Amino acid sequence: MRASRFFISTLKEAPADAEIVSHQLMMRAGMIKRLGSGIYTYMPMGLRVIRKVEAIVREEMNAAAAIELLMPLVQPAELWQETGRWDKMGPELMRVKDRHGRDFAIQPTSEEVITDVVRSEIKSYRQLPLNFYHIQTKFRDERRPRFGLMRGREFTMKDAYSFDRDLAGMQASYKVMYDAYTRIFNRFGLKFRAVAADNGAIGGTGSHEFHVIASTGEDALVYCPTSDYAANMEAAEALPLAAARPAATEALVKASTPNATKCEQVAELLGLPLSRTVKTIALTVDHEQDGKVTRQYFMLLLRGDHELNEVKVGKVPGLAAHRFSTEAEILEVYGCVPGYLGPIGTKAPVTVVADRTVANMADFVCGANDAGFHYTGANWGRDALEPALVADLRNVVEGDASPDGKGVLAIERGIEVGHVFQLGTAYSESMKATFLDENGKPAPLQMGCYGIGITRILGAAIEQNFDDKGIIWPTALAPFELVLCPMGMDRSELVKAETEQLYAQAQAAGIDVIVDDRGLRPGAMFADWELIGVPHRVVIGERGLKEGNLEYQGRRDTEATAVPLADIIPFIKGKLAA
Amino acid sequence: MRASRFFISTLKEAPADAEIVSHQLMMRAGMIKRLGSGIYTYMPMGLRVIRKVEAIVREEMNAAAAIELLMPLVQPAELWQETGRWDKMGPELMRVKDRHGRDFAIQPTSEEVITDVVRSEIKSYRQLPLNFYHIQTKFRDERRPRFGLMRGREFTMKDAYSFDRDLAGMQASYKVMYDAYTRIFNRFGLKFRAVAADNGAIGGTGSHEFHVIASTGEDALVYCPTSDYAANMEAAEALPLAAARPAATEALVKASTPNATKCEQVAELLGLPLSRTVKTIALTVDHEQDGKVTRQYFMLLLRGDHELNEVKVGKVPGLAAHRFSTEAEILEVYGCVPGYLGPIGTKAPVTVVADRTVANMADFVCGANDAGFHYTGANWGRDALEPALVADLRNVVEGDASPDGKGVLAIERGIEVGHVFQLGTAYSESMKATFLDENGKPAPLQMGCYGIGITRILGAAIEQNFDDKGIIWPTALAPFELVLCPMGMDRSELVKAETEQLYAQAQAAGIDVIVDDRGLRPGAMFADWELIGVPHRVVIGERGLKEGNLEYQGRRDTEATAVPLADIIPFIKGKLAA
C-alpha cells in the first residue's frame, strides 16, 4: 500500500468523551469515527485490523470443522417469542416494526435463528455433529455505551453453534471450540486467560470466558499460579478460611456501639481487627400464589472484610429470586433497625445462612438485634443457634486457598473477548429442535454456543499494548506489518529509487508493507506511525544509503539499528517470524 | 473441501413461493434458506458464491484506488433529516427507536453517513480526489419482497462514494468506476450491458446502469447493434418517426365511433392501421399557494401504437409534478367524457403537448371532443392549432432510429445489478460538506456514488445460466471450481487412494476443489452437483483407473471425456483458464 492512496487521519488530542486509553488511541489513530452513541464507522486503518482478526478467527473455525454461513440481522419476533427471550430481554434487544406492523429484532445474537435453521435441516443422528458459525454485525442497545469498541451498541461478533446427539458429544464439540479459541488468541499474540464462568440464567452445563489480560480490565480473573485453576470472580469458589471451628475462648459481652452500623466502624470502636466481625445482610423472597404474596426472610452472614457475591447467593437453595429486605420489613421481622442485626436470638421464620468462613469462626463480633449494641465473643451453638445453611457467599481474595488444593489464588484484571458455553437443550427444547436417534426416537439436540467479540478485540489488544506514543499492535493484528519511511523522497533520486525497490521487494516477500510517500517531515511521519502502532519501521535516508545501510526500529525499541541494505528483507522476515 | 465436512442440503422440489427460476434453484441447491419475507440465511453453499463475488469486487475497487471502510447499519435520523430523505423516503426506509426514544434508520444506502465522515475529514483540495467504499448488509422494506435474492429486504451491497473538487474531476472518478465495473462484470463471466439511465429525482449529471442480460429480466435495455448507444427504456430517446410533416391529403371527417374509446377499437372500426390514430392523455398539475389550489391542464398526444414514458413526461417543462386528470376534471375542462378527446378545438387553458412523432403526422385519427365521435383526416394547422409543446413522450420500440444516427435500435431484457451515478453537489450542499479550494474559498464537494448488488448478482447469474438440471455457474462465481466424484470409495482401495491423491494435487495446483466423500449413489451424487452447478466434474471409477483414465465432464457438456490420469490436473487448469 502507498500512503498517498490510503486514508490516514491522525489527531493530536482525543475527544473528551474517550475515557479509556484504547478508545482515545483508536480515535487519535483514525481507526474509528463516532457516528452516534456507541456507533462507529470503521475507518480504513481500523478496518484493516478488523479484517486481520476476522481472517484468523475464520481460519481456525474452518480448521476446527465449523462451517460458515450468514444469518440475517433483522429477525422475526416469532422465533424470539418461542424461546421467551422476546419478553425476557430488556431494552438492550432493539425491536423494530416493518411496514406491515410485524415485529422484528435487530439481532444481538442468533441462537433462535440457527436453531430454526437446524430444526428443519437435521433429521437424523447421522448428520451430527455439526457446528455452524458466522461473522456478523450485531446490535445491543446498551444503556450506557462507552469505551469505544469495548462497549459499543453496533459491533461485529463471531458466533458459532454446535449441535450434538448427546451430552458427551456436545462436550467434545465444546472442547474442540475451547482449543480453537486458545489457538486463536495465541495467534493474535495477546496475553490471555481462559476462566471458568458461571452459566447464569441460561442454564447449561459449563462455560469458559476468554479474557485479554489488562490492568484496565473490568473483570477480576481468579487463578492459581501453581495449578491450572482459573475462574472469573462470579464462579471462583471460596473455601472456608479455617478448616474447622476453634473452641470458644471469650465470654459473650454486649457492647455499646452507638452510630456504628458498619463493621469497619464497629471494629475501630472496639479496637478489634475487621476480620473478627461478622456482617449481616437481610434478604426477602416473595412467593406469589393465587394473587396472594407470602414472604420468606433470610439472614446472610459474611466476615466483615469479605464481599458478597450475588451470583453465589442466587445459587443458595431458595434464594434464586431474592431481593434485599426493605427497612420496614427489617423493623417488623427483627424488631431492630438495620446496622445492628445478628444471629443471636434470630430464629424461625428467619433462615440464617452463614458463609463457609463465618460458620467456622469463634469469638466473633456481631449485631445484637438491639439498636446501638453489638456482641463480642459470640460463638455458634453456645450463643447463637447453628446456622440453618452454610454456603459459599463471598468473593475470593488474593491468598485464598485454591479450590483444587494446589496452591493459593491470585487475581488479575481482564477484558472478556470470548465466551464458550455448553447450552444443553434449553433452546432445542423450547424450539422443538429434535433429531431421530439410532432407535428412531426423537431427541432434543445438545447445543453449545461460542462467541468472539471481533471488534472488541481491537480495544482489548490496545489496553494491553500501548505506550505514551500510541498503540503497539502485535504483528498479527497490525494494520500493516512494516512501514517504509523515506527521508526526502522528493529531493533525492537515490532515496526514491531505493524506496521503490525496497517496497517491491517487501511485497514480493509477502510482507504487508506501506510506504509513506506523503512527503511529511520525519517527525510528523514517525509520530503518525508510532501512534498507529505499526510494529516494524525502516527509514531510508540518503546518508545511510551512501554507507549501504537502512535504519530499522521496532515499535518497542528505544533506538534504531543500522541494517545493511542487502540484509533488510531477511532481517524483517526474521523479526516477523519471531 | 470434503463434502463430509461441509453442509450440502438439496431439494427435489422448490417451495411454492419461489416464482422465478433463480429463486427456485437457489432454494433447491441449498444456497439460501428463508427466515421471513424477503429475509434469507445465506447457507454455506450460497455464502461461498457471495464471497467470490465480494472478492472480485474488492480487488477491482482496490485496484481503482477506492479505499475500503465500513459504515454502520443503524444510522441516526438526524443525518437523514439533513438531506430531507427521512421524510422523502417512504416506508421502504426502516425506522427504529432506541431505548431513549431516539430515531434511527436501518441503512438502505449510506450517502448521508459518508458525507458526514467526509465533511469532518476533508479540509483542502489537496486531499482530493477520494473514493470510499464498503460492502455491507442493507435493509429496504420492500412492499412486496419476492424473487429470492433478486428483490429481498435484507441484502448485501457494495457502495462507493467519490469526492472531487470539480465537475471534471468527478467525471474522471466516474469514468474510473465505470471502467472498474466493466472489469468486474467481465471477471464474473456474465453477459452484461451498461446503459445510460435517467438520473431521477436525485438530480445529478449522468448515470449508467449495469445489467446482466437475461430473458427473464424485469428491465428493457435499448441498444444499437451497430454503434455503442445503449440506454434503459426510461432514458432511451425516441426520435420522430418521420423527419418532417407530410402535407395534408385527406379532408377532415367526423366519424361515428360509438363504444370505441381506445385507439385499437377505433382503428378496427374504421378499418385503418393503428399507426394512423392518435391517443390523448389528460393530465393535471396542482399549484398550491397560500392554501389555495389552482390547476393547470395538459393534453398529451401519442401515436395509437406507442406507449407513454412517464419519466419523459416528468421532464416536460411544467409537468414535473403531474397527475392523471380525474373524470370530473375532464368533463369540466373538455366538456366530453374520456375516450373521445382530441386536439381539434382544444385551446387555452389546456396546453397541448404532442409527442415528436405525432407532431409530424398528417391525416391522422383523433377524438372529436364529442362522446361517440372521432375525426379522420385530421391535420395540424388546418384543423387543430399547432401543438403548444412538442416533446419526446414515448417508449422507443425495436427498429426505431438510434439517437446517435448510427443504426436502428434493438431491445433486450436485463437485470439491474450495478449503478454508477454522478451525484454532483446535491448531498454536499444540503449537508454543507465543503473543502477549501486553491484560493482558500469553501466549495461543495462534487460527489459520485456507485453500487453493486452483491447478493442480487447470484440471482442474475442464475437467470442467465441454468438448464433443466440446475444452475450453471460461471467458474469465477462457482461455490467450487471442481468436484471429484469417487465411485464406491468405501469398496475400492484403488478409488480411495487415487481420489485422495487427486484431491491433494488439485489443492496444490490452487484449484477450489470439493471431493464428494458422502458415499452417495452415483445418480444422486451427480444430480446434486448438476443442481448446485459446479462447472467441472471428474469421476474416479475403478474400471477407468485400470485403463489409466478419469472421466471429465463440464457442466454444459452433454457427455463425459476420458482423460489420462497423468494429464488431469493440466487438463483442468486449461479448462479453468479458458
Side-chain angles (χ1 to χ4, degrees):
Chain A
M1 181 65 74
R2 292 174 193 274
S4 60
R5 295 196 17 150
F6 197 59
F7 188 75
I8 298 167
S9 174
T10 56
L11 296 171
K12 287 255 183 293
E13 300 289 333
D17 72 331
E19 300 168 49
I20 61 170
V21 71
S22 60
H23 187 189
Q24 290 161 356
L25 290 176
M26 290 193 79
M27 296 295 291
R28 287 188 51 208
M31 303 230 166
I32 55 175
K33 197 168 181 73
R34 186 180 184 279
L35 177 63
S37 172
I39 303 178
Y40 294 88
T41 293
Y42 307 141
M43 295 296 283
M45 193 67 80
L47 185 60
R48 287 185 75 92
V49 182
I50 292 172
R51 295 286 186 238
K52 295 208 175 181
V53 172
E54 288 177 351
I56 290 171
V57 169
R58 189 170 272 128
E59 280 173 31
E60 293 297 338
M61 283 293 112
N62 294 346
I67 305 171
E68 189 173 8
L69 45 61
L70 190 61
M71 288 176 272
L73 267 149
V74 178
Q75 306 184 341
E78 288 77 9
L79 292 180
W80 289 77
Q81 284 156 350
E82 276 192 62
T83 61
R85 291 212 292 182
W86 182 259
D87 295 321
K88 245 181 267 171
M89 286 190 77
E92 72 274 13
L93 180 66
M94 201 176 214
R95 295 146 212 258
V96 58
K97 280 186 194 296
D98 76 358
R99 65 193 295 152
H100 303 294
R102 285 189 291 255
D103 286 315
F104 291 83
I106 310 292
Q107 65 142 6
T109 169
S110 286
E111 281 83 3
E112 279 80 359
V113 172
I114 195 70
T115 306
D116 179 59
V117 166
V118 162
R119 69 179 164 183
S120 74
E121 290 286 349
I122 302 301
K123 273 120 197 154
S124 156
Y125 70 94
R126 290 191 197 86
Q127 292 169 278
L128 301 173
L130 268 173
N131 187 333
F132 290 111
Y133 78 99
H134 71 169
I135 297 177
Q136 175 70 307
T137 305
K138 309 235 178 292
F139 201 92
R140 196 168 293 167
D141 197 0
E142 294 275 355
R143 193 174 57 83
R144 202 180 151 203
R146 53 184 176 158
F147 304 153
L149 299 193
M150 298 277 270
R151 197 182 295 161
R153 296 202 286 179
E154 188 168 321
F155 56 100
T156 305
M157 191 167 164
K158 186 282 300 174
D159 34 330
Y161 304 91
S162 67
F163 297 90
D164 278 276
R165 52 200 284 197
D166 54 27
L167 189 66
M170 185 267 276
Q171 285 170 337
S173 293
Y174 180 85
K175 177 69 165 52
V176 168
M177 283 293 106
Y178 183 99
D179 293 344
Y181 274 41
T182 303
R183 284 194 302 276
I184 287 168
F185 290 102
N186 276 323
R187 284 186 62 183
F188 286 161
L190 297 174
K191 292 186 284 292
F192 71 97
R193 191 178 291 283
V195 297
D198 183 65
N199 273 37
I202 212 168
T205 46
S207 79
H208 285 85
E209 293 167 356
F210 285 76
H211 288 259
V212 168
I213 307 302
S215 58
T216 54
E218 281 192 292
D219 293 310
L221 311 180
V222 179
Y223 68 104
C224 175
T226 52
S227 78
D228 59 1
Y229 181 82
N232 68 12
M233 187 53 86
E234 284 71 40
E237 186 182 0
L239 300 178
L241 286 181
R245 186 190 299 163
T249 61
E250 298 180 6
L252 186 70
V253 173
K254 190 168 178 178
S256 172
T257 52
N259 302 320
T261 58
K262 298 201 180 309
C263 285
E264 289 78 2
Q265 297 165 327
V266 175
E268 199 188 333
L269 192 68
L270 302 177
L272 290 170
L274 186 59
S275 59
R276 294 283 298 279
T277 65
V278 165
K279 67 179 152 194
T280 299
I281 294 141
L283 300 183
T284 303
V285 176
D286 301 308
H287 299 277
E288 191 175 336
Q289 203 176 13
D290 304 330
K292 212 184 123 198
V293 178
T294 57
R295 297 205 165 82
Q296 246 187 309
Y297 300 98
F298 293 83
M299 173 184 278
L300 269 52
L301 299 174
L302 260 85
R303 208 171 75 171
D305 56 340
H306 285 159
E307 270 178 22
L308 188 72
N309 183 312
E310 284 244 37
V311 171
K312 292 179 178 179
V313 173
K315 290 181 169 175
V316 173
L319 285 179
H322 66 272
R323 60 173 174 81
F324 290 104
S325 302
T326 63
E327 194 167 339
E329 286 171 342
I330 290 171
L331 276 170
E332 183 194 325
V333 174
Y334 299 93
C336 173
V337 295
Y340 297 98
L341 302 189
I344 295 176
T346 298
K347 50 180 195 289
V350 175
T351 306
V352 173
V353 188
D355 178 63
R356 286 167 168 177
T357 290
V358 172
N360 284 357
M361 283 169 79
D363 302 329
F364 53 85
V365 176
C366 62
N369 292 326
D370 188 359
F373 293 93
H374 280 80
Y375 285 118
T376 65
N379 280 278
W380 291 112
R382 186 191 75 182
D383 308 318
L385 292 173
E386 287 291 339
L389 288 168
V390 177
D392 177 12
L393 300 178
R394 70 173 176 94
N395 285 338
V396 297
V397 293
E398 295 242 4
D400 277 355
S402 176
D404 65 1
K406 296 182 183 169
V408 294
L409 296 177
I411 296 175
E412 64 188 348
R413 309 298 299 178
I415 299 163
E416 189 190 339
V417 286
H419 200 160
V420 293
F421 210 102
Q422 299 183 18
L423 283 176
T425 57
Y427 287 90
S428 54
E429 282 181 4
S430 63
M431 294 185 68
K432 299 185 182 58
T434 61
F435 66 100
L436 295 180
D437 67 15
E438 291 120 308
N439 305 316
K441 290 222 176 94
L445 288 156
Q446 280 281 351
M447 291 172 59
C449 71
Y450 316 95
I452 291 181
I454 299 285
T455 38
R456 192 170 226 231
I457 297 288
L458 275 68
I462 296 172
E463 292 292 333
Q464 190 180 85
N465 300 283
F466 69 92
D467 63 14
D468 55 356
K469 295 177 196 155
I471 303 166
I472 310 176
W473 289 110
T475 300
L477 303 186
F480 300 96
E481 293 173 331
L482 169 66
V483 57
L484 304 181
C485 296
M487 298 291 98
M489 204 175 178
D490 50 343
R491 292 188 312 273
S492 165
E493 280 303 319
L494 180 62
V495 168
K496 185 168 180 178
E498 288 295 342
T499 300
E500 287 296 336
Q501 196 184 331
L502 186 52
Y503 179 50
Q505 286 170 345
Q507 284 184 307
I511 298 169
D512 187 8
V513 59
I514 185 164
V515 54
D516 194 342
D517 56 353
R518 293 177 295 166
L520 298 189
R521 288 172 300 100
M525 199 191 294
F526 295 163
D528 268 1
W529 295 110
E530 283 165 351
L531 173 59
I532 292 163
V534 170
H536 305 283
R537 180 178 84 195
V538 169
V539 175
I540 302 119
E542 196 162 78
R543 205 173 58 186
L545 284 176
K546 285 182 178 159
E547 294 162 8
N549 283 333
L550 299 166
E551 262 186 26
Y552 167 83
Q553 189 164 351
R555 178 63 183 80
R556 287 188 193 273
D557 298 345
T558 48
E559 55 189 48
T561 311
V563 179
L565 197 50
D567 299 345
I568 190 71
I569 296 293
F571 178 87
I572 298 287
K573 292 289 279 183
K575 290 280 181 188
L576 292 176
Chain B
M1 180 65 74
R2 291 173 194 276
S4 61
R5 298 202 6 158
F6 196 59
F7 188 76
I8 298 167
S9 175
T10 56
L11 296 171
K12 287 254 182 296
E13 301 288 334
D17 72 330
E19 299 168 49
I20 61 169
V21 71
S22 60
H23 187 188
Q24 291 163 355
L25 290 176
M26 289 193 80
M27 295 295 290
R28 285 187 53 207
M31 301 228 168
I32 55 174
K33 197 168 183 75
R34 186 181 184 278
L35 178 61
S37 172
I39 303 178
Y40 294 88
T41 292
Y42 308 140
M43 295 295 283
M45 193 69 78
L47 185 60
R48 287 186 74 92
V49 182
I50 292 172
R51 294 287 187 238
K52 296 209 174 180
V53 172
E54 288 177 351
I56 290 171
V57 169
R58 189 170 274 128
E59 280 174 30
E60 293 297 338
M61 284 293 111
N62 294 345
I67 305 170
E68 189 172 6
L69 45 61
L70 190 60
M71 288 176 273
L73 267 150
V74 178
Q75 305 184 342
E78 288 76 9
L79 291 180
W80 289 77
Q81 284 156 353
E82 276 192 61
T83 61
R85 291 212 293 182
W86 183 258
D87 295 322
K88 244 182 266 171
M89 286 190 77
E92 72 274 13
L93 180 66
M94 202 175 212
R95 295 148 213 258
V96 58
K97 279 185 195 297
D98 76 357
R99 65 192 297 152
H100 304 295
R102 285 189 289 257
D103 286 314
F104 290 83
I106 311 292
Q107 66 142 2
T109 171
S110 285
E111 280 84 2
E112 279 81 358
V113 172
I114 195 70
T115 306
D116 179 58
V117 166
V118 162
R119 68 179 165 184
S120 74
E121 290 286 350
I122 302 301
K123 272 118 197 156
S124 155
Y125 71 93
R126 289 190 197 87
Q127 292 170 277
L128 301 173
L130 267 174
N131 187 333
F132 290 111
Y133 77 99
H134 71 170
I135 296 177
Q136 175 71 306
T137 305
K138 310 236 178 290
F139 201 92
R140 196 168 292 167
D141 198 0
E142 293 275 355
R143 192 174 57 83
R144 202 180 150 201
R146 54 185 174 154
F147 304 153
L149 299 193
M150 297 277 270
R151 197 181 296 160
R153 296 202 285 178
E154 187 168 321
F155 57 100
T156 306
M157 192 166 164
K158 185 285 296 176
D159 34 331
Y161 304 91
S162 67
F163 297 89
D164 278 276
R165 52 201 283 198
D166 54 26
L167 189 66
M170 185 267 277
Q171 286 170 337
S173 293
Y174 180 85
K175 178 69 165 52
V176 168
M177 283 292 107
Y178 183 100
D179 292 344
Y181 274 41
T182 302
R183 283 194 302 275
I184 287 167
F185 290 102
N186 276 324
R187 283 186 62 183
F188 287 161
L190 297 175
K191 293 187 282 291
F192 71 98
R193 189 179 292 284
V195 298
D198 183 66
N199 272 36
I202 212 167
T205 46
S207 78
H208 285 85
E209 294 166 356
F210 284 75
H211 287 261
V212 168
I213 306 301
S215 58
T216 53
E218 281 191 295
D219 293 310
L221 311 180
V222 179
Y223 67 104
C224 175
T226 52
S227 79
D228 60 1
Y229 181 82
N232 68 12
M233 186 54 85
E234 284 71 40
E237 184 182 1
L239 300 179
L241 286 181
R245 187 190 298 164
T249 62
E250 297 180 8
L252 185 71
V253 174
K254 188 167 178 178
S256 170
T257 53
N259 303 318
T261 58
K262 298 201 180 308
C263 285
E264 288 77 2
Q265 296 166 326
V266 174
E268 200 189 335
L269 190 70
L270 302 176
L272 288 169
L274 187 59
S275 61
R276 293 282 299 280
T277 65
V278 165
K279 66 179 153 194
T280 299
I281 295 142
L283 300 183
T284 303
V285 175
D286 302 308
H287 298 276
E288 192 176 335
Q289 204 175 12
D290 303 330
K292 213 185 120 195
V293 176
T294 57
R295 297 204 165 83
Q296 243 187 312
Y297 300 99
F298 292 84
M299 172 184 278
L300 268 54
L301 300 173
L302 261 88
R303 206 171 77 172
D305 56 339
H306 285 158
E307 272 178 21
L308 186 72
N309 184 312
E310 285 244 35
V311 171
K312 292 179 179 178
V313 173
K315 291 182 170 174
V316 173
L319 285 180
H322 65 272
R323 60 174 173 82
F324 290 104
S325 302
T326 63
E327 193 167 339
E329 285 172 341
I330 289 171
L331 275 171
E332 182 193 326
V333 174
Y334 299 94
C336 174
V337 294
Y340 296 96
L341 304 189
I344 295 177
T346 299
K347 51 182 193 289
V350 175
T351 306
V352 173
V353 188
D355 178 64
R356 287 167 168 176
T357 289
V358 172
N360 283 358
M361 283 170 79
D363 303 330
F364 54 85
V365 176
C366 62
N369 291 325
D370 189 358
F373 293 91
H374 279 79
Y375 285 117
T376 65
N379 280 279
W380 293 111
R382 188 189 74 184
D383 309 318
L385 292 174
E386 287 290 340
L389 287 169
V390 176
D392 176 12
L393 299 178
R394 69 173 176 94
N395 285 337
V396 299
V397 293
E398 295 243 3
D400 278 354
S402 176
D404 64 1
K406 296 181 181 169
V408 295
L409 295 178
I411 296 176
E412 64 189 348
R413 310 297 299 179
I415 299 164
E416 188 190 340
V417 286
H419 201 160
V420 292
F421 210 102
Q422 298 183 18
L423 283 175
T425 56
Y427 287 90
S428 54
E429 283 182 3
S430 62
M431 294 186 67
K432 299 184 181 58
T434 60
F435 67 99
L436 295 181
D437 68 14
E438 292 120 306
N439 304 317
K441 292 226 175 91
L445 287 156
Q446 280 281 351
M447 291 173 58
C449 70
Y450 316 95
I452 290 182
I454 298 285
T455 39
R456 193 169 224 229
I457 297 287
L458 276 67
I462 296 172
E463 293 291 333
Q464 189 180 83
N465 300 282
F466 69 93
D467 62 15
D468 55 356
K469 293 178 196 156
I471 303 166
I472 308 175
W473 290 111
T475 300
L477 304 186
F480 300 96
E481 293 173 331
L482 169 67
V483 57
L484 302 181
C485 295
M487 299 289 97
M489 204 175 177
D490 50 341
R491 293 188 312 271
S492 165
E493 280 303 319
L494 179 63
V495 168
K496 185 170 178 177
E498 288 296 343
T499 300
E500 287 297 335
Q501 196 183 333
L502 186 52
Y503 178 50
Q505 287 170 344
Q507 285 185 307
I511 298 169
D512 187 8
V513 58
I514 185 165
V515 55
D516 193 342
D517 56 353
R518 294 176 297 166
L520 297 190
R521 287 173 300 101
M525 198 191 296
F526 295 164
D528 269 2
W529 295 110
E530 284 165 349
L531 174 58
I532 291 164
V534 170
H536 304 284
R537 180 178 86 194
V538 169
V539 175
I540 303 119
E542 195 161 80
R543 206 172 58 185
L545 284 176
K546 285 184 176 156
E547 294 163 6
N549 282 334
L550 298 167
E551 262 187 26
Y552 167 82
Q553 189 164 350
R555 179 62 183 79
R556 288 187 194 272
D557 297 346
T558 50
E559 54 189 50
T561 310
V563 179
L565 197 49
D567 299 346
I568 191 71
I569 296 293
F571 178 88
I572 298 288
K573 292 290 278 183
K575 290 281 181 186
L576 292 175

